[in-house]
Amino acid sequence: MTTSAGTEPDHSTGPLPGRRFEADLRSMTRINLRPIASPMPLGFFTVAIASVMTACLQLDVFEAAERQAVALCVLPAFFLQLLVSFLAFGARDVIAATLMGTFASSWLAYALVLGTGSAGGTRVLGVFNLALLCFGALMAAVTRPKRALWFVIVASLPRWAATGLSGLTEADWLRYTSGGLGILVAIVAAYTAFALLLEDVRSEEVLPIGRSGPAHTAVEGDLSVQLRNLERQAGVRRTL
């Protein structure tokens, strides 16, 4: 195929009319990355605070009449963790984004059911927590290299189980167990958030988090490691 100024391309030996073939654009393509601050400390501190509030209700620190006030205190956790999930997707971390988005939905469901006093809310939340337990087990299977996430998930698993069974059986000892496990989740999440904050401020690991494998390489590796297989990632490739 030949072209010249003011003339049409000669298709006599080229592609059939009606079909258009673009030149190889790889050498002209540029992929721009936008660094952001890590949203994970915000996400983990939100988990810690909301877990303390719900645990105190289960441990009878708050009266039953104060359920609506607890629900209102938990509701902001939905918005904060939804924001964290959105930012994590933008940072190309689908595991963190999925986890935080699911946490966000759980706080919204808890706040709405608890705050409105819906009939059968306890049993419904029981089933909901058992569904979260299944989700958490699947997430734990793929997040071990990301120990910060993994520890929070592993700490949450028994709490989801106790909360689910407590909602279905209405056994007081399961409710108290769930409350105690909620305090444990809060401690683990707060430690993880604090460790990540220190790491960001000092640009090095101060408190052990336990990254391994790809998660360790992502933090310790050079820029070429971060950009590896970038052309195959969502937002660059043609389909999800």
Side-chain angles (χ1 to χ4, degrees):
M1 180 177 69
T2 61
T3 62
S4 60
T7 64
E8 293 295 328
D10 179 10
H11 294 286
S12 59
T13 60
L16 295 175
R19 299 187 63 185
R20 182 179 180 184
F21 289 82
E22 297 286 353
D24 189 349
L25 301 179
R26 285 177 293 182
S27 62
M28 302 167 55
T29 301
R30 298 293 182 268
I31 300 173
N32 296 317
L33 302 178
R34 179 183 298 175
I36 65 171
S38 173
M40 298 311 295
L42 173 61
F44 287 130
F45 273 131
T46 302
V47 170
I49 295 171
S51 294
V52 167
M53 297 303 298
T54 55
C56 286
L57 182 62
Q58 292 174 313
L59 294 172
D60 293 334
V61 175
F62 301 129
E63 300 293 335
E66 298 172 311
R67 288 173 177 265
Q68 188 173 17
V70 173
L72 291 174
C73 288
V74 170
L75 184 59
F78 161 70
F79 299 102
L80 291 175
Q81 293 209 272
L82 187 64
L83 173 63
V84 172
S85 177
F86 178 79
L87 294 174
F89 275 120
R92 301 181 294 144
D93 194 331
V94 67
I95 293 178
T98 301
L99 179 65
M100 288 297 163
T102 305
F103 269 127
S105 68
S106 69
W107 297 128
L108 178 62
Y110 189 92
L112 291 177
V113 172
L114 196 66
T116 59
S118 302
T122 301
R123 290 179 58 81
V124 171
L125 286 177
V127 175
F128 183 73
N129 277 275
L130 292 179
L132 284 176
L133 175 65
C134 297
F135 160 79
L138 295 175
M139 289 294 292
V142 299
T143 57
R144 174 162 285 190
K146 295 174 173 288
R147 291 298 173 85
L149 292 173
W150 188 77
F151 282 129
V152 174
I153 294 173
V154 169
S156 298
L157 290 177
R159 194 201 183 189
W160 285 330
T163 304
L165 294 175
S166 172
L168 294 177
T169 64
E170 298 185 358
D172 287 338
W173 71 272
L174 281 172
R175 178 165 57 85
Y176 293 137
T177 300
S178 177
L181 291 171
I183 298 298
L184 175 62
V185 171
I187 293 173
V188 173
Y191 168 84
T192 304
F194 185 62
L196 290 174
L197 280 178
L198 284 179
E199 181 181 79
D200 185 74
V201 169
R202 301 189 183 181
S203 299
E204 62 180 359
E205 185 177 286
V206 179
L207 296 176
I209 298 178
R211 291 189 184 93
S212 63
H216 177 77
T217 303
V219 174
E220 300 296 334
D222 57 22
L223 184 60
S224 63
V225 175
Q226 316 305 316
L227 302 182
R228 186 177 299 163
N229 295 325
L230 181 63
E231 69 276 9
R232 297 183 179 90
Q233 294 187 12
V236 178
R237 64 176 186 255
R238 190 168 186 175
T239 68
L240 295 177

